Amino acid sequence: MRRIEAVNDFVIKFANVNGTGSASANHMFAKSIFRMGIPVSPRNIFPSNIQGLPTWYEVRVSQKGYLGRRGGVDILLCVNPQSMADDIQSVEPGGYFIYDSSKPLDQRLRRNDVEFIGIPFTQMCLREYDDARQRLLFKNMIYVGALAALLNIDFAVLKDLVGDQFRGKEKLITPNVHAMELGYQYATENFDCPLSIRVEHASEIGEHISYTKHILMDGNTAAGLGAIYGGATVAGWYPITPSTSVIEAFERYARRLRIDPGTGQNNFAIVQAEDELAAMGICIGAAWNGARSFTATSGPGLSLMSEFLGLAYFAEVPVVLVNVQRAGPSTGMPTRTQQPDILAAAYASHGDTKHVLLFPSTPKECFDMTAQSFDLADRLQTPIILMSDLDLGMNDHMSPPLEWDDEREFDRGKVLSAEDLDNMDERFGRYLDTDEDGIPYRTYPGTHPEKGAFFTRGSSRDVYATYTEDGEAYVHNMERLLQKFETAKEYVPAPKIKLAGKKTSVGALFFGTTASPCYEAIEMLADEGSAIDTIRIRAFPFNAEVEQFIADHDTVFVIEQNRDGQLRRLLINECELPPNKLISILHYDGLPITARSIAMSMRDSLTTNKVTPIRRKTAKKVKS
């Protein structure tokens, strides 16, 4: 059998049982490789029940820094017999299948093109530990130790990680290190170590890249911290997977950074509401009163919030929503990732409504864009929706260290002070567009004892906030809101365009967590001779650069993780594009899209649509 030969470039997958504490051990494995200076991208794939069903943890190791899912598995470590048959079939030819050999392996499951490595994890735990809970937990640490020997992981790095994880609980350090030593010793005594797939310190292979300066962070934590730095003081909240940890992170950081040093009192409020609609109502009330407020939810919560999102849009109250998308519709697959809320978020609420959306691709962008969302909300006086997803939100990703300019000031937009009101000769009109950008001026409650007051309503009104059902006044207001949406194009993050090395008529358009596998797929195709320009969308509304990119190419692939090609539909609808110019590449099984599947879809389409142009022959002259 020809084995896969690879150094610092492979995919390993763990097949575990939910509720056994394996995720912590698997994460430690990923961090150990990261601390050796090698780029990693771990993903926890878990069911929505509490305990007992299969769960997987996939780690992409890539010295070149490819951080999206590649597709395929080179090494599979299986301690769950429920999924073993399928897990064996997922291994690449020439790869390794590591399993618990405490019970004999069913010979019908063997493959001739995969090397099987049996380690009796359960028997080792039975001999070593009397307590059932210890047997369950330390089995995970034993296989981490075995992998350290098999893959050449620096054991000292693992010991340091154990020390970090159990700091303050020192009595747990020694037994965890001992469990790893049991696995390490068994592997070295029974197998040729390391395997043909292994890791080496980045400096040892002459490619000590800057990724050693990066951090591992999940997008939800970054978004919660971004809300702190963006000035948020109020969070209305109803917990829902996979967004709950956004508010948990906000609370964790607020308890450190939002405490009055003189009194010790909180300078923040987190209100858990009875449902998502009420949570959004809390945010709108706080924002109307001048606070920077936000909430976090996922698809089902977005549906419930739609009515109040329409109120905030029409009454022009700034508010921020972090939408961590998951597979729908209805309950769908609550612990699986997708990008299925594009249209629901863009047009949330009944009537003619358009919301500003931001599309982060990395934890750093989750931090930056969340902080920016509060400035945008105040500047535009409208809801801003950050469109994250489960993959970005709940999994650790490599990220540059987060940065913040302490000299940066919040943009509160067009807010009149008491002095401004005193200096006004004209009548204050809350919905009066004096600058022709669609954005009126507003006041905070209590700004002035006599001037600047207005009635906030969700029903039709004139420019002075006076109730009216006059059709002309209503049309004027709706067209002004449309003008404000056009103005938003000047403020939202611009797209990222990357041109191929040579001129091409083919482009690829994507957003969010599709970015990393897309860039890798484009490089795969470039090696085959196919040049493709790329544009990463970072916001809706789409600005002129997006329309120009599409106009400059004959064919544009639109890669997204939903069934209906929602971003493609939004582009066609908003930019009035010919549908046949945009080719969908869709993925929606609940797992992150892979570079291989993107490359294969593009390759097939380019081959199918490749047409040799017919050239008209020059007619021969006939002698007279």
Side-chain angles (χ1 to χ4, degrees):
M1 181 185 68
R2 184 175 181 180
R3 295 183 179 88
I4 297 172
E5 299 276 348
V7 177
N8 295 352
D9 185 14
F10 59 90
V11 175
I12 181 171
K13 193 172 186 178
F14 299 81
N16 302 104
V17 178
N18 200 32
T20 60
S22 58
S24 177
N26 298 340
H27 184 60
M28 186 180 296
F29 166 86
K31 287 181 71 174
S32 68
I33 296 176
F34 176 68
R35 287 198 178 184
M36 291 175 66
I38 307 163
V40 295
S41 181
R43 286 176 172 82
N44 192 15
I45 305 164
F46 58 99
S48 57
N49 76 329
I50 297 174
Q51 188 168 356
L53 289 181
T55 183
W56 294 269
Y57 193 93
E58 183 177 291
V59 181
R60 176 80 186 276
V61 179
S62 172
Q63 185 67 56
K64 293 183 178 179
Y66 295 129
L67 302 179
R69 287 186 72 219
R70 184 199 69 186
V73 178
D74 302 311
I75 304 170
L76 201 142
L77 187 142
C78 180
V79 291
N80 184 5
Q82 298 178 66
S83 62
M84 183 175 285
D86 290 337
D87 291 332
I88 290 173
Q89 292 305 312
S90 69
V91 180
E92 298 274 281
Y96 295 88
F97 185 81
I98 305 169
Y99 66 100
D100 186 348
S101 61
S102 300
K103 291 183 179 180
L105 180 69
D106 187 339
Q107 295 303 303
R108 293 171 297 180
L109 299 178
R110 285 193 175 271
R111 288 172 49 186
N112 294 327
D113 59 349
V114 171
E115 181 167 338
F116 287 75
I117 298 176
I119 302 176
F121 298 121
T122 300
Q123 289 182 1
M124 294 169 70
C125 288
L126 288 172
R127 288 195 302 266
E128 193 71 22
Y129 307 107
D130 296 325
D131 182 75
R133 182 63 177 167
Q134 286 185 331
R135 291 170 179 170
L136 186 69
L137 295 175
F138 285 129
K139 181 193 290 187
N140 305 320
M141 301 305 292
I142 290 173
Y143 72 61
V144 170
L147 286 172
L150 293 169
L151 302 182
N152 195 41
I153 296 172
D154 190 335
F155 198 83
V157 171
L158 279 170
K159 290 176 67 175
D160 288 343
L161 282 167
V162 172
D164 291 345
Q165 182 162 326
F166 296 107
R167 185 174 288 116
K169 302 177 181 178
E170 276 68 23
K171 66 179 181 179
L172 297 176
I173 296 176
T174 298
N176 276 277
V177 172
H178 176 65
M180 289 194 302
E181 288 172 338
L182 289 174
Y184 191 93
Q185 182 178 357
Y186 186 93
T188 54
E189 291 177 354
N190 291 275
F191 306 102
D192 291 331
C193 298
L195 304 177
S196 62
I197 300 174
R198 66 187 189 279
V199 297
E200 294 179 2
H201 278 279
S203 57
E204 294 178 5
I205 61 172
E207 199 175 350
H208 192 64
I209 58 177
S210 62
Y211 283 96
T212 52
K213 300 177 183 178
H214 282 47
I215 58 175
L216 280 177
M217 190 177 203
D218 65 86
N220 282 358
T221 297
L225 187 58
I228 291 286
Y229 276 81
T233 56
V234 176
W237 175 53
Y238 187 82
I240 180 174
T241 301
S243 71
T244 301
S245 54
V246 174
I247 305 298
E248 290 174 342
F250 175 74
E251 180 182 19
R252 187 166 63 250
Y253 289 117
R255 293 198 180 280
R256 290 170 50 193
L257 303 171
R258 286 274 189 275
I259 304 297
D260 185 275
T263 64
Q265 293 182 337
N266 293 342
N267 285 333
F268 68 96
I270 299 173
V271 185
Q272 182 170 334
E274 63 269 28
D275 55 32
E276 288 90 348
L277 181 61
M280 179 55 71
I282 290 167
C283 294
I284 291 173
W288 177 87
N289 204 44
R292 286 194 155 183
S293 62
F294 82 110
T295 187
T297 194
S298 191
L302 174 68
S303 298
L304 289 173
M305 291 177 180
S306 289
E307 183 177 354
F308 269 163
L309 282 169
L311 171 65
Y313 172 82
F314 197 58
E316 299 179 71
V317 179
V319 70
V320 172
L321 168 61
V322 179
N323 180 32
V324 189
Q325 300 168 88
R326 71 187 205 189
S330 189
T331 304
M333 294 192 292
T335 58
R336 295 290 188 266
T337 195
Q338 268 189 25
Q339 297 170 320
D341 299 342
I342 308 304
L343 293 175
Y347 301 130
S349 190
H350 52 280
D352 295 322
T353 313
K354 290 185 181 183
H355 295 294
V356 176
L357 312 181
L358 304 185
F359 301 110
S361 289
T362 64
K364 188 176 188 309
E365 285 194 334
C366 285
F367 172 79
D368 293 339
M369 288 186 178
T370 301
Q372 183 184 12
S373 292
F374 293 96
D375 280 352
L376 288 172
D378 276 344
R379 166 56 54 184
L380 299 171
Q381 300 176 29
T382 197
I384 306 295
I385 306 178
L386 187 83
M387 302 294 287
S388 181
D389 61 32
L390 184 147
D391 179 28
L392 177 56
M394 295 192 71
N395 288 317
D396 275 349
H397 296 260
M398 285 182 53
S399 172
L402 308 183
E403 296 178 348
W404 186 260
D405 182 1
D406 289 333
E407 300 299 318
R408 176 173 167 178
E409 296 183 358
F410 296 146
D411 181 359
R412 299 310 301 255
K414 297 183 177 182
V415 179
L416 296 176
S417 65
E419 183 180 0
D420 294 329
L421 292 168
D422 277 334
N423 293 331
M424 284 180 61
D425 294 327
E426 67 276 18
R427 178 185 175 187
F428 169 69
R430 170 63 183 95
Y431 300 106
L432 186 64
D433 181 12
T434 58
D435 300 324
E436 298 184 353
D437 58 2
I439 305 172
Y441 286 81
R442 63 182 177 128
T443 59
Y444 296 140
T447 297
H448 195 285
E450 298 174 355
K451 298 180 179 181
F454 62 93
F455 193 91
T456 304
R457 64 178 78 246
S459 53
S460 181
R461 71 276 164 155
D462 63 16
V463 296
Y464 299 104
T466 303
Y467 173 76
T468 179
E469 293 188 12
D470 177 72
E472 185 175 345
Y474 171 81
V475 169
H476 174 78
N477 188 58
M478 293 298 288
E479 289 183 350
R480 180 184 58 77
L481 290 171
L482 200 59
Q483 175 58 45
K484 180 165 69 171
F485 196 71
E486 286 295 311
T487 300
K489 295 178 180 180
E490 304 172 15
Y491 294 99
V492 298
K496 294 289 187 180
I497 297 174
K498 186 177 180 181
L499 301 180
K502 57 184 178 181
K503 188 172 178 60
T504 178
S505 63
V506 180
L509 184 151
F510 44 82
F511 64 102
T513 50
T514 59
S516 189
C518 280
Y519 286 129
E520 184 177 357
I522 297 300
E523 290 191 26
M524 290 179 184
L525 295 172
D527 292 340
E528 300 170 10
S530 297
I532 302 175
D533 296 331
T534 65
I535 181 169
R536 177 164 69 89
I537 301 294
R538 298 203 297 161
F540 172 72
F542 309 120
N543 65 15
E545 288 182 84
V546 176
E547 296 190 42
Q548 189 61 53
F549 180 90
I550 297 172
D552 290 342
H553 296 84
D554 296 335
T555 300
V556 177
F557 292 103
V558 183
I559 303 99
E560 49 188 316
Q561 299 183 72
N562 56 66
R563 185 195 68 180
D564 295 338
Q566 293 185 28
L567 183 67
R568 177 178 177 271
R569 293 186 179 201
L570 193 61
L571 286 161
I572 291 169
N573 187 49
E574 293 294 324
C575 303
E576 299 183 357
L577 299 170
N580 60 348
K581 193 172 190 177
L582 304 180
I583 299 176
S584 282
I585 294 179
L586 305 175
H587 176 86
Y588 47 92
D589 67 359
L591 299 178
I593 194 169
T594 68
R596 286 182 178 178
S597 66
I598 295 169
M600 182 177 66
S601 296
M602 287 184 175
R603 189 184 298 115
D604 291 346
S605 181
L606 291 172
T607 302
T608 302
N609 296 324
K610 190 172 183 179
V611 178
T612 302
I614 299 175
R615 300 188 182 279
R616 185 181 300 276
K617 294 181 179 179
T618 303
K620 292 182 179 180
K621 292 183 178 180
V622 179
K623 293 182 179 179
S624 57

